[in-house]
Amino acid sequence: MAKKKPARAKSKAASHKVVKLASRKPAPKLKAKAAVKPKTTGNRVPKPSSKPFGKDGKALDGIRILDFTHVQSGPTCTQLLAWLGADVIKIERPGVGDITRGQLQDVPNVDSLYFTMLNHNKRSITLDSKSKQGMKVLERLVKNCDALVENFAPGALDRMGLTWERIHAWNPRMVVASVKGFGPGPYEECKVYENVAQCAGGSASTTGFRDGPPLVTGAQIGDSGTGLHLALGIVCALFQRNRTGRGQRVLTAMQDGVLNLCRVKLRDQQRLAHGPLNEYSQYGENIPFGEAVPRAGNDSGGGQPGWILKCKGWETDPDAYIYFITQAPVWEKICELIGKPEWKTDPEYAKPPARLPRLKHIFNTIEQWTTTKTKFEVMELCNAVDIPVGPILSMKELAEEPSLRATGTIVEVDHPTRGKYLSVGNPIKLSDSITEVTRSPLLGEHTNEILSKVLKFTPAEIAEIKASGATGEAPKAKMAAE
Ligand code: CAO
């Protein structure tokens, strides 16, 4: 039997509570001349808590989220909000649930890692939003939540009958947050997945090697990246609501999110109009630039040339590499370390502009040194003299890294049907809001609990809702409320 989730302290009234204003005692009358208006940030805050840091609740305590998200982008956002303390109620289609529950399954009939790693700290209710009884429950949810988060295909929420106007009329304080593939424009009706966004947002055209095709990256910048953007938008909308008393719509388009992360490439696009991009290795190789920013292989995105170099063991270990940056302020230390002290004064190597045309030769020379050491030895020797380098860490190495376990960035979670598994914890560390990662919910696990305890439906009403089939058949043994 699943553990009962600790009761969320906040009722609707509490969740909508406006921060207590500072003392309203009338200010002592000053002589007319001395009445100076105090400077203020515009946000009134209570007196500092006297409780120890980390012992006064969570950042988003009292905020309740109606989570209508699925797949990756939306769930990334609501998972973050849950880690920060929000009560996240995930609505899933009866019998089916989030499609990722069954995708890439490693253990038969068990929620996939795809699902479990994106839905920690949430509660699940199954609900057919297209049925009459389902809509009755949704209305009650809207009235009892602070934000609705969704990433359906364009128009799907409206087709359900949940237009902004209707939601706003039900609960003017509700924030309605959406991920879509594209913003308003020619493509706004398109369905979009991760790699579509990477391609449409400028990442693929600028990733890969010049003489190869565009490449997508392993980092899920389209989905998880956009989920992150959305989470910030929601928190800001909630913050503004403290002042205005009303909700608003928040939209993040995946194309926009990817483009935001590719900002340096739009920078380079404009620099191209003024001449070649001389920090790109293409410049040193005398290859002319075209009209658009080219793919730059492993060149650094900043002004300091960098490249990935082989380390000891590269012949058999695909990750025996290190990212090496020939940062100008530490150039002399690099020369010493790699056994080329003469480069410190040689006019062909001493200054950054002189080095640009011969970067390939320079990196080949540094590589002769790095191949004599493991990536960890290079890391140690370089960092000892402040030379920044980046060992290429495999997922295996990251999973086993003790320091990431110690900080909660990698966590082990127990799950009733899957057993123990590893997950990435909250990468955002707040000193006064400590994250505890709890497992993802089973499909419909909290249906009873939410209908009765959160939405306060009477037993007769619950019986009516259930008899209509609006909640499907939630598996009895898994009901947290029982
Ligand atoms: N009860 C009843 N119906 C439900 C329901 C529920 N609880 N939850 C969802 N549905 C319905 C929707 O209303 C929709 O019905 P209509 O098409 O009749 O309006 C239907 O299920 C399918 O929803 P969808 O179109 O969002 O799902 P899809 O699998 O066809 O498309 C995706 C998936 C991701 C391409 C699309 O949702 C999308 O483009 N989302 C926005 C961009 C995004 O987030 N992409 C990233 C996804 S992660 O890679």
Side-chain angles (χ1 to χ4, degrees), residues 162-195:
L162 284 177
T163 58
W164 157 255
E165 290 73 20
R166 195 170 188 193
I167 297 168
H168 191 65
W170 280 343
N171 179 1
R173 299 171 65 78
M174 177 70 117
V175 170
V176 179
S178 304
V179 169
K180 294 289 165 261
F182 292 93
Y187 305 120
E188 66 185 305
E189 295 303 325
C190 298
K191 289 187 174 184
V192 169
Y193 287 100
E194 171 67 46
N195 288 346

Side-chain angles (χ1 to χ4, degrees), residues 68-75 91-94 97 99-100 114 118 125-131 138 150-160 178-182 188-195 197 220 222-224 226 252-254 470:
F68 238 145
T69 66
H70 64 155
V71 204
Q72 187 182 163
S73 62
I91 320 288
E92 297 186 80
R93 211 185 326 206
I99 192 169
T100 57
Y114 196 2
L118 283 162
I125 171 172
T126 43
L127 199 63
D128 176 1
S129 62
K130 289 181 176 161
S131 70
L138 269 174
E150 62 96 17
N151 67 311
F152 291 126
L157 200 64
D158 285 2
R159 287 195 290 278
M160 268 182 205
S178 304
V179 169
K180 294 289 165 261
F182 292 93
E188 66 185 305
E189 295 303 325
C190 298
K191 289 187 174 184
V192 169
Y193 287 100
E194 171 67 46
N195 288 346
Q220 304 286 282
D223 279 337
S224 289
T226 309
T252 53
M254 293 167 77

